[in-house]
Amino acid sequence: MLLDLTASSVDLTRAICDIPSVSGDEATLADLIEASIAPLAHLEVIRHGNTIVARTNLGRAQRVVIAGHIDTVPINDNVPTRDIAVAGEPHLWGRGTVDMKAGVAVQLKLAAELTAPVVDITWMWYDNEEVAASLNGLNLLSADRPDLFAADFAILGEPSNGQVEGGCNGTLRAIVRTHGVRAHSARAWIGENAIHRAAPILARLSEYRAKEVTVEGLAYRESLSAVRIVGGVAGNVIPDLCEVEINYRFAPSKTAADAAAHVRGVLEGFEVEITDAADGARPGLDAPIAQQFVAAVGAEPRPKYGWTDVARFSALGIPAVNYGPGDPHLAHHDEERVPLAQIDAVEQGLRAWLTAP
């Protein structure tokens, strides 16, 4: 079985969405992509685990990386896909339609059809984007084959409503702990309740007002949120430990170290452990090649609030943007769905730029 790369991007989206590829279970789809791309004489194909790389070697003056992840979050009765209408507009409904197999389908079709693009292209389809960075196929590929990342510009097919979203916010996670003394709840005054001591933490987070930070003309909105709270021993025990997990989304003008210092400042007086942090990515839209791309696809640049793998390219000094079909608000949603017109529009936008005289 092979993918029909002559089919429309919509039909390709339907085909690859109907192949389950939850993070950690991408081998079937990766095999299919490799087998379908391998016969194309204009592409050099490289496999690294379940990441597939296909690149032209035309000797062009510039090279662009165009990448997309092939994994999804877990399925929840939303595969196979189906066609639906929303406000009279045709959509494709199902897991992965937004995040981000519609973008991958567009890339696969163009990879097959564009035998002589105006720039050399390195296509990357990678696994394990939705889980830990240590498993991320793009991350592992960059460690083992940094030569494949040599490029002047990068485009990630993350859902952006068919618009160009420059860079991305950074993200930081931390655990804030309070301690107490265990006691029988019938004699609560004997102990010290760690959960009660967490109340000021929640109050500070509730009162926190997120900033909007302008970076290279784009306004990135920050947020600082409690995302999990754990505490308690038993139904009749005063708890001696409470942990509040927080997530800080910060503008790309800050480093992860800046973000950590800010969180510690907001929560001064409490025990704070930074458990994970990743820098964001500046928009990079001042690069001439990025400006040419934006003009060709006819989009108005916007900020990307969520963290995406554009940050990996930005860290290498490669300007990178997000450009793909689908509403980011519907990513991971049980009603995940993409307008068919957006799939076509993104395909036409990329095609126009990559074939412009």
Side-chain angles (χ1 to χ4, degrees):
M1 174 184 171
L2 296 178
L3 293 170
D4 180 4
L5 300 181
T6 67
S8 70
S9 292
V10 169
D11 286 341
L12 271 174
T13 301
R14 188 178 290 110
I16 63 176
C17 285
D18 286 345
I19 301 169
S21 59
V22 175
S23 303
D25 190 29
E26 301 96 331
T28 298
L29 182 54
D31 290 345
L32 191 55
I33 290 173
E34 181 184 25
S36 302
I37 289 291
L40 301 176
H42 65 285
L43 294 174
E44 174 192 7
V45 178
I46 301 156
R47 182 159 183 164
H48 185 274
N50 285 326
T51 293
I52 311 299
V53 178
R55 60 182 183 174
T56 63
N57 293 295
L58 301 168
R60 303 295 197 228
Q62 293 178 303
R63 179 174 290 275
V64 174
V65 172
I66 303 179
H69 65 82
I70 63 173
D71 63 320
T72 71
V73 296
I75 294 166
N76 189 23
D77 294 327
N78 47 6
V79 166
T81 54
R82 66 174 186 261
D83 291 286
I84 64 171
V86 178
E89 183 179 3
H91 285 64
L92 184 64
W93 173 96
R95 177 63 77 225
T97 51
V98 171
D99 194 9
M100 54 164 289
K101 289 183 175 180
V104 168
V106 167
Q107 294 168 8
L108 287 168
K109 181 171 179 61
L110 293 177
E113 294 183 0
L114 300 185
T115 59
V118 296
V119 293
D120 270 313
I121 308 173
T122 300
W123 305 95
M124 295 179 175
W125 301 291
Y126 62 101
D127 62 334
N128 280 312
E129 188 272 347
E130 300 288 3
V131 290
S134 60
L135 299 174
N136 182 297
L138 203 63
N139 188 36
L140 297 175
L141 181 67
S142 66
D144 289 349
R145 291 293 308 271
D147 57 299
L148 296 177
F149 287 74
D152 301 284
F153 185 50
I155 301 168
L156 200 66
E158 289 283 357
S160 62
N161 264 325
Q163 300 299 312
V164 174
E165 293 186 335
C168 68
N169 273 340
T171 182
L172 175 147
R173 287 197 295 269
I175 300 293
V176 189
R177 294 186 180 88
T178 56
H179 299 272
V181 177
R182 290 192 193 189
H184 197 296
S185 60
R187 301 171 181 81
W189 58 89
I190 302 298
E192 297 176 10
N193 194 310
I195 292 178
H196 291 181
R197 287 184 170 182
I201 297 171
L202 300 179
R204 289 189 199 181
L205 294 174
S206 179
E207 293 165 2
Y208 183 85
R209 293 296 174 261
K211 296 179 180 178
E212 195 171 84
V213 181
T214 299
V215 182
E216 297 175 15
L218 299 184
Y220 291 85
R221 187 172 181 178
E222 298 189 329
S223 62
L224 181 61
S225 309
V227 294
R228 187 176 62 95
I229 186 166
V230 176
V233 180
N236 59 354
V237 177
I238 299 301
D240 60 344
L241 176 66
C242 183
E243 295 183 332
V244 180
E245 183 175 1
I246 64 170
N247 183 213
Y248 179 37
R249 300 291 176 138
F250 55 93
S253 54
K254 292 186 175 73
T255 65
D258 295 333
H262 179 72
V263 168
R264 293 187 190 280
V266 171
L267 296 166
E268 185 177 1
F270 291 96
E271 177 186 329
V272 178
E273 178 190 357
I274 308 299
T275 57
D276 185 42
D279 288 325
R282 300 184 74 91
L285 293 170
D286 53 347
I289 190 171
Q291 294 173 358
Q292 293 163 10
F293 167 72
V294 171
V297 301
E300 180 179 347
R302 302 174 179 179
K304 186 71 169 180
Y305 295 135
W307 189 93
T308 76
D309 279 314
V310 295
R312 301 192 190 281
F313 293 101
S314 180
L316 296 171
I318 303 168
V321 299
N322 305 277
Y323 179 63
D327 183 348
H329 292 98
L330 292 174
H332 305 183
H333 199 287
D334 287 344
E335 294 302 320
E336 190 173 354
R337 59 188 183 270
V338 62
L340 304 191
Q342 265 188 27
I343 301 176
D344 291 334
V346 168
E347 178 193 330
Q348 294 310 313
L350 281 172
R351 186 187 297 276
W353 178 59
L354 293 169
T355 59

